[in-house]
Amino acid sequence: MTVNLEIGNFSGLTILTGAGWTHNWGGRLAVELWQDLIGHKDVQSNPRVRELLLEENCFEAALGKVQEAPFTPTDRVVFEHALLDAFLAMDREIARVNRDRWINIYKVQDLLSRFWGQRGQNVDTAYLFTLNQDLWLERNFYNQYVSGAPSATLPGLQKRPNQQWFTPDIGPYREAFVVQPLADPAAHTNPRGCFNVVKLHGSFNWRTSDGRNELVVGTGKTGRIATSPLLSWYWEIFKSVLSSGNVRLLVVGYGFADEHVNAVIADAVDHHGLKLFIWDTGANLRDRVNAAPHGPLIWKGVLSTATRPMIEVFPSSQDETEEYRRIWRTLFG
């Protein structure tokens, strides 16, 4: 898909989050989602799906295999139902407020709001990209007005009457949370003038007009994206923003396992001056990035890295730490 995009006058700064971001608030990493799936009662009652998961400890690979023979449509329904139940449980954990060691959400919101840019820069558009299909941003990204940024929006989606996102008051998950993409989002949505939250792999609460889940997990992600007008449009936005020239990209909690994501980042590094700030708490970051698809080229674009857990950077005491100041100076200074 090729479209002409007007990405607006954005600050030249953007962010890409992966599962490691939401993990700070109880989100599940891939290995933990496998644990959820193998223990699900419907999976335990289905010998074929249970055996598949016992043999394949990567749940995304297992999901890819269950789409083909000898697995049946019933097997696929069991797997997908268990996966949606895992996302619902994750959402209940993300929505929980009575935590002992609570990350200072106001400083996190301050960080995200800075991607709108500084006052006086004549910025009219911003982009936050995520590979996550959870509702962390919808539940936690508010208070942008403090920095002069507008409220966030989900481009290309049809909101139901009275449906609200980006507020702390949306409450427990319910059927009213289901959202349907526009049939032709590129023709009917203009990202310019908005603070755009772009969920590159969809969301567990999105449904197509024929009732299918609009989320990308498993193998064959590129093909799945190509069949979705919304997600293919999102992909063009992602490429256009990163290749717009001398962009700084904060990558948080993404393990560089997706070839199609890495290819866009690597091309922007190689041809358009993209610089990356990678925030990753795991060991041997350089080796892991270099071992990933397109990794050596991605590493050449590194501006800096951060390795401290988010609770140390944004403590519940609400102190502004030196590490946050360093991240802020490196990205925005």
Side-chain angles (χ1 to χ4, degrees):
M1 174 184 176
T2 302
V3 296
N4 293 321
L5 277 170
E6 173 54 67
I7 61 173
N9 181 23
F10 86 106
S11 65
L13 300 157
T14 190
I15 183 173
L16 174 67
T17 68
W21 173 280
T22 311
H23 193 249
N24 290 285
W25 289 270
R28 307 290 274 174
L29 301 177
V31 65
E32 295 168 321
L33 280 171
W34 180 91
Q35 295 167 353
D36 293 334
L37 293 172
I38 191 65
H40 193 279
K41 61 181 178 61
D42 292 346
V43 170
Q44 287 292 318
S45 300
N46 184 306
R48 285 183 300 274
V49 176
R50 180 177 180 274
E51 187 66 26
L52 171 64
L53 283 165
L54 287 174
E55 293 176 355
E56 180 56 78
N57 61 5
C58 172
F59 90 91
E60 291 199 289
L63 179 58
K65 290 179 180 179
V66 83
Q67 307 300 320
E68 302 173 353
F71 296 98
T72 68
T74 299
D75 296 332
R76 291 190 281 277
V77 169
V78 166
F79 197 114
E80 292 174 2
H81 176 69
L83 184 60
L84 286 175
D85 278 353
F87 274 109
L88 286 168
M90 187 190 308
D91 187 61
R92 289 192 295 271
E93 181 64 20
I94 291 170
R96 188 166 64 88
V97 296
N98 55 332
R99 298 175 184 270
D100 294 331
R101 298 178 69 239
W102 189 245
I103 295 167
N104 180 7
I105 191 63
Y106 304 110
K107 276 297 179 185
V108 177
Q109 292 166 346
D110 177 68
L111 172 66
L112 296 177
S113 297
R114 297 297 172 182
F115 289 99
W116 179 262
Q118 304 298 311
R119 290 183 173 91
Q121 282 187 303
N122 195 32
V123 169
D124 64 11
T125 311
Y127 298 91
L128 302 184
F129 297 101
T130 182
L131 300 170
N132 301 336
Q133 295 110 339
D134 57 66
L135 300 180
W136 188 92
L137 282 161
E138 288 91 329
R139 290 187 176 279
N140 291 284
F141 187 33
Y142 50 90
N143 285 332
Q144 297 96 307
Y145 66 89
V146 174
S147 63
S151 296
T153 187
L154 294 165
L157 294 166
Q158 302 180 59
K159 287 183 66 175
R160 294 184 179 187
N162 302 318
Q163 195 171 52
Q164 294 187 15
W165 300 117
F166 308 109
T167 168
D169 303 320
I170 62 177
Y173 187 89
R174 54 196 181 277
E175 187 62 26
F177 281 28
V178 171
V179 179
Q180 185 175 320
L182 293 168
D184 189 356
H188 297 100
T189 309
N190 185 358
R192 182 162 196 163
C194 301
F195 204 140
N196 299 280
V197 170
V198 181
K199 304 180 82 168
L200 292 166
H201 285 169
S203 189
F204 84 91
N205 64 314
W206 295 359
R207 305 287 184 273
T208 61
S209 58
D210 58 359
R212 291 179 292 110
N213 297 317
E214 186 76 306
L215 76 166
V216 177
V217 290
T219 54
K221 292 177 181 174
T222 303
R224 176 70 184 87
I225 290 169
T227 65
S228 166
L230 177 65
L231 298 183
S232 55
W233 179 57
Y234 277 4
W235 207 249
E236 293 299 323
I237 293 173
F238 184 55
K239 290 189 287 187
S240 295
V241 169
L242 264 57
S243 63
S244 60
N246 301 313
V247 170
R248 292 187 177 188
L249 171 68
L250 174 62
V251 178
V252 188
Y254 168 54
F256 295 94
D258 287 331
E259 192 278 338
H260 62 294
V261 177
N262 294 3
V264 174
I265 296 173
D267 180 76
V269 168
D270 197 28
H271 297 107
H272 304 286
L274 178 72
K275 297 295 183 184
L276 295 89
F277 190 116
I278 304 175
W279 190 346
D280 187 296
T281 59
N284 305 314
L285 175 61
R286 182 180 62 182
D287 293 342
R288 285 188 287 113
V289 173
N290 278 307
H294 308 283
L297 188 51
I298 290 172
W299 189 254
K300 288 182 179 179
V302 167
L303 176 67
S304 187
T305 65
T307 57
R308 293 188 181 181
M310 196 166 286
I311 186 64
E312 293 184 11
V313 181
F314 303 116
S316 56
S317 65
Q318 301 192 27
D319 291 340
E320 183 170 284
T321 63
E322 282 301 320
E323 180 66 350
Y324 178 51
R325 291 180 182 138
R326 181 186 74 86
I327 293 170
W328 196 97
R329 287 195 305 270
T330 307
L331 278 171
F332 310 114

